[in-house]
Amino acid sequence: MDPLARYEPLLDDYEGFRAACERPLPAVVRVNGIKADRERVRGALDETGVGWHADQWHPDLLRLETDAPGNTWPDVLGWIHGQEAVSAIPPVVLDPSPSETVWDTCAAPGSKTAQLADLMDDRGLLVATDDSLGRLAPLRSNAERLGLTNLAVDRADARHFSLDRLGIDAVDAALVDAPCSGEGTVRKNPSALEDWSESFVEGIAGLQKGLLTRAVQATRPGGTVVYSTCTFAPEENEAVLDHVLAEADCRLVEFDVPLPSVPGVTAWRDAQYDPTVERAQRFWPHQTEAGGFFCAKLEVAG
């Protein structure tokens, strides 16, 4: 089965979508404001002879004219960090403040974690969990290189993580950038769909529902939870939101980022979803010239 063909009914330009999925992604980095500002980074890249231009939606994202941004000295010094353009959406939508306690539930290898710390001015408390010991190693390495000091890292399955370990009852905000089937990463990783199956999509959706439910439970009334994936599958996106809206005391809220997007879908095959899932946003590769992405913002009832 062709995994991408199943999404033709959802698309305005199916051929454009297929063509975009076959184009390689540009090398994009995020300026790490904890160590350097964007002007300093841009000057350093100019001195290094690496061409760049600002990404279309965020001035701290730079598209570099190199296939190896990690080999540049601004990267070695922690001034920049490789991060796909759409990957920067969830921290911006969460918009944490320096005084808050924030939980990044599925943090490794840490690009969004580092962006959250930057948005928090490296203050407050940022808790990063992941259940993979192997993935925590690069998270810790990246945190050290990027100069993150407000970070607490713990190996844990977020579905069962107890805030008692931190001596707190609730967090102010949480990010659930969930493990997923990864369909939207096909431009970066052409082999991403080789082992794809509908049974895998259905299975991982159960994990996603558990992660998002726990994040909502752990967030204070009035707090914010952002849910995101890099897949096109409604089973992993709108269906997960539909489940959590029915199980937990929260609501979806609208948000705005300056990237082309379309609303979440309220029906897929034989399923009907809560109409408020339209407040989520789908980012298609042919519309953004980036990877595929899905993002939703929830407010915990207070």
Side-chain angles (χ1 to χ4, degrees), residues 34-96:
I34 293 173
K35 282 197 168 183
D37 61 35
R38 67 182 67 129
E39 295 307 318
R40 190 178 189 184
V41 167
R42 292 174 178 183
L45 292 171
D46 289 340
E47 291 177 11
T48 309
V50 176
W52 60 269
H53 66 271
D55 193 79
Q56 61 179 315
W57 85 273
H58 199 297
D60 283 338
L61 295 176
L62 305 177
R63 298 196 177 208
L64 304 188
E65 296 173 8
T66 176
D67 293 330
N71 292 341
T72 63
W73 66 262
D75 187 276
V76 174
L77 293 176
W79 293 7
I80 59 175
H81 184 67
Q83 185 168 357
E84 190 179 341
V86 289
S87 174
I89 294 171
V92 170
V93 174
L94 192 66
D95 192 26

Side-chain angles (χ1 to χ4, degrees), residues 63-217:
R63 298 196 177 208
L64 304 188
E65 296 173 8
T66 176
D67 293 330
N71 292 341
T72 63
W73 66 262
D75 187 276
V76 174
L77 293 176
W79 293 7
I80 59 175
H81 184 67
Q83 185 168 357
E84 190 179 341
V86 289
S87 174
I89 294 171
V92 170
V93 174
L94 192 66
D95 192 26
S97 75
S99 62
E100 290 185 325
T101 296
V102 178
W103 181 21
D104 188 355
T105 62
C106 309
S111 62
K112 297 178 185 68
T113 310
Q115 187 182 357
L116 288 169
D118 195 349
L119 290 168
M120 297 169 71
D121 295 332
D122 199 31
R123 294 157 55 194
L125 175 61
L126 176 57
V127 181
T129 57
D130 202 282
D131 67 350
S132 169
L133 187 61
R135 286 170 58 85
L136 284 177
L139 170 62
R140 291 191 172 100
S141 175
N142 286 328
E144 181 177 356
R145 179 176 59 86
L146 297 171
L148 279 56
T149 64
N150 70 337
L151 182 65
V153 178
D154 198 356
R155 183 187 181 188
D157 182 335
R159 293 173 295 177
H160 311 297
F161 185 65
S162 173
L163 297 178
D164 291 342
R165 294 169 62 88
L166 305 174
I168 59 176
D169 296 325
V171 297
D172 298 297
L175 171 60
V176 183
D177 185 57
C180 68
S181 57
E183 299 165 333
T185 67
V186 67
R187 294 186 64 182
K188 177 174 63 177
N189 179 18
S191 64
L193 303 180
E194 288 181 358
D195 297 323
W196 184 95
S197 68
E198 289 203 14
S199 61
F200 178 77
V201 168
E202 293 166 359
I204 203 167
L207 168 64
Q208 294 157 346
K209 292 171 183 176
L211 290 168
L212 184 54
T213 299
R214 177 63 190 131
V216 171
Q217 293 170 342

Side-chain angles (χ1 to χ4, degrees), residues 239-290:
V240 172
L241 297 177
D242 180 76
H243 172 85
V244 173
L245 289 170
E247 295 293 322
D249 201 2
C250 61
R251 68 185 186 97
L252 283 163
V253 295
E254 296 179 347
F255 63 93
D256 182 52
V257 293
L259 268 175
S261 68
V262 297
V265 299
T266 58
W268 171 247
R269 295 183 167 175
D270 295 329
Q272 299 288 328
Y273 306 133
D274 187 301
T276 64
V277 301
E278 284 190 325
R279 296 172 184 170
Q281 295 185 31
R282 289 177 157 266
F283 301 87
W284 296 102
H286 63 296
Q287 295 174 339
T288 63
E289 277 307 314

